[in-house]
Amino acid sequence: MALPFELAVGLRYTRAGRRGRRKDGFLSFISGISVASIALGVMALIIVLSVMNGFQKEVRDRMLSVLSHAEVYNLAGSVGNWQDTLGTLKVAESRIVAGAPFVSGQALLSAGAGVQGAMVRGIDPAAEPSVSEIPSAVRMGSVDNLKAGSFGIILGRDLARQLRVGPGDKVTLIVSKGNVTPAGFVPSMKQMGLVDSGHYEFDSTLCVMNVTDAATLFRTGGATGIRLKLSDMNEAPAVVRSIRQHLPSGWYATDWTMQNRTWFAAVQVEKTMMSIILFLIVLVGAFGLVSTLVMTVTEKQSDIAILRTLGASPGSIMRIFMIQGSIVGFTGVAVGVSLGLLIACNLDVIVPFIEGILGVEFLPKEIYFISSMPSDPRASDIVPIAVLSFAMSLIATLYPSWRAARTRPAEALRYE
């Protein structure tokens, strides 16, 4: 089956330069640069957005290994019988799967000459596994050893390193409300394990103890809140809005998106700005495509005139050069998407290899919370990138094609 002549001529012009005149070779070189520019822009966009998606997902998951999906707490003090309150909330909101009591507060930890601020989290060792991954993140110990009245604690791995203590060592905990407790005026507490959540911000500040002991230290009279696990963490904002209507006066509810709103907003803004900046590379490729087609139109004036004298309409001439530009744009987008996905899906191998050669660490965990380069390619990012890049390529063909369609055969052949 014969190809439409517009497609055949467009393909021929696209391949020009592989054999033929020097000028055709130069045009083919410029066309190749346009393909490379579009491919580079698409590839860079896919890789960068995949890394940012992976970074966001990794940090979110590590946050939620310590944080809960949602929390309700009494601003005035103890929640009283937390099981009854949890039962009421489950009746009101079916998306609540489990709950556990907690007490939280700020304190100072002292061991030898070292003093560090800490985020104290009082938990119920029996109920906590149903709402968080803290119990499974404990190394060299277990939350089951946190018996009420024992005043044992489990420190974050990096916090313990800063204090230079290990399991079995004694640390002194100081809270702002005074420290007259059954354990003494300033309680000396025994470290009973290490929490390794993989999130530096928590591992460098977290101090876990029994909820009863925490309530005694902070003088709350019992648990001050309930940590909730939901069937779908992405529905946490909707669940919180729902349960607020069923909470007594003086109670408050929050979710993980609100607790980390600033961080996630900053990541989203950064992602948007990086997309805009990197899309300029694709725009450069589109301008290169315009230049290529304008030069092709100028070079092929006599060919266009001959086609016109043989009966080709201005629309046919316009389609020829639009086809040529579309082929260049499609090739660039296809190559960019292929290379982008290939690299994005293998960053866990590529990045360590480069780090080993250069002897550098791209992601110090003290700064970025994680030490490896995550990647999460998403169709919701890749499809718009490919479509917009190809659409930009098509738009870039309009002016050169329109200019070619306006060619007058008599003027073009006057000096031939």
Side-chain angles (χ1 to χ4, degrees), residues 154-171:
I154 296 177
L155 301 181
R157 180 191 59 183
D158 295 291
L159 177 59
R161 184 182 296 122
Q162 292 165 2
L163 292 171
R164 298 182 180 179
V165 296
D169 294 339
K170 296 286 186 177
V171 296

Side-chain angles (χ1 to χ4, degrees), residues 338-353 373 375 377:
S338 301
L339 291 177
L341 284 174
L342 180 64
I343 296 175
C345 293
N346 293 278
L347 277 177
D348 56 337
V349 177
I350 296 173
V351 172
F353 176 75
M373 185 79 75
S375 179

